[in-house]
Amino acid sequence: MGWSRPHYAPSRPGTRDIAGARTVFVMDDELLLHGLVHLLGEVDGIRVVGDLRHDGDLVERLARAAPELLIVDAGHGLQLAALRRHLDPVPRIVVVMDGEESPGHALDLVRAGADALVDRRSPSVEVLSAVARVLDGQTALDPHSASTLVDELRAQATPAEHDSAGLLTRREKEVLALLTEGLDNRAIATDLFISEATVKFHLHNIMDKFGVHKRAALVSAALRGRARGGVGGHRPAARTR
C-alpha cells in the first residue's frame, strides 16, 4: 500500500475538533488493517480503541467499545445496516473498498449506511481527507470510489435501454441490427430493399425511443444491450435479389 505517516489535522475554520475520537477497525485483512492502523494511529486526536474481526460477537463487542468512528472493510460492508440498528449512538462509518478486484458494491454500501468510501489503492492524503470530512459530519468519496460509484449508476441505466428495445418495431430492429454492424444509410437501404429516406425515418424513431440524438450513442446503447442478450441481436435474413 505504501502509506506514509503524515501529520494531519483538519484546518478549515469551524471544523469539528476530532481530538479523542474513539476509532475501531473491523476487518479480516491483516495487511490492510496494519496499514490503516499505521496511518491513522498517527493522526492528531484519533484514538484507536480496538481492532475486531467479523464474527458472531461483533455487535456485542462494538457496543462495548462505543466507537465514534468505525472503519470497516467492504468484504462484510453490507452488514452495515444491521450494525447501525444495534449500535447507539451510531458511529460514523468509513468503508475501505477494493474497487479493482471486487467492484459492484459501492451503491449498496452507501445505501447500507456508509458515510465514506475509500479505495485501498488511494494515497494516504485521500484516506485522511475522507476521515476528516466524516468526523466533521460530512460524507466523502475518494476519486477511486467516486469512479466506481459512477460506473455502477451508469450500469443501472442499461435496463432502460433494454426496455427501449422492446418498443421497436420489427423493421426498426432490422435497421438497428444493420447499423450496429457498421452499415451506412445507403447500405442499410440496399440490404432491406427500402429507400434511404425510409432508413432515416426509422433511425429518427429509434433514437427517440432510446432518448439519444447521435448515431454513435445509439450504436453504443445497442451494443450494450446485445452484450446482455437484448438489443440489436437479430440481423434480417438474407434476401434473394
Side-chain angles (χ1 to χ4, degrees), residues 145-186:
S145 300
S147 295
T148 299
L149 185 60
V150 168
D151 288 343
E152 289 182 31
L153 290 170
R154 285 175 176 166
Q156 287 195 357
T158 300
E161 297 163 359
H162 193 87
D163 293 344
S164 297
L167 300 176
L168 299 183
T169 66
R170 178 184 61 82
R171 180 64 86 190
E172 287 169 350
K173 289 178 181 178
E174 291 176 345
V175 170
L176 182 57
L178 293 172
L179 179 69
T180 60
E181 292 181 13
L183 276 66
D184 61 17
N185 287 4
R186 178 177 296 181

